[in-house]
Amino acid sequence: MAYEQRGKPNGVMFHSDQSSQYGSRQFRQHLWRYRMTQSMSCRGIAGTMRRWKGYSEA
């Protein structure tokens, strides 16, 4: 897993759209286990993820 390969960094934020798998209890438990903060795009704003991906690749 990339998290472990990068030395288990602190302050990781996982940004996603509002797909059901990202809001599921099981997925949120995984984020909690790795101490990651979850961030979701706003409903109905299609460009949010595109802008985020451009920022994260910089």
Side-chain angles (χ1 to χ4, degrees):
M1 177 189 222
Y3 173 78
E4 292 168 350
Q5 289 175 348
R6 289 174 172 82
K8 301 180 181 180
N10 294 322
V12 174
M13 180 178 289
F14 183 91
H15 186 78
S16 68
D17 58 15
Q18 292 189 0
S19 299
S20 61
Q21 70 266 25
Y22 298 123
S24 72
R25 184 177 187 178
Q26 182 180 15
F27 185 78
R28 287 183 287 126
Q29 287 174 337
H30 283 290
L31 293 177
W32 181 82
R33 183 182 310 144
Y34 293 108
R35 295 183 172 96
M36 293 182 186
T37 303
Q38 185 174 24
S39 170
M40 287 188 169
S41 59
C42 298
R43 186 175 299 264
I45 302 177
T48 304
M49 281 298 290
R50 184 171 40 249
R51 285 192 302 270
W52 177 260
K53 287 180 181 177
Y55 172 78
S56 65
E57 292 171 357

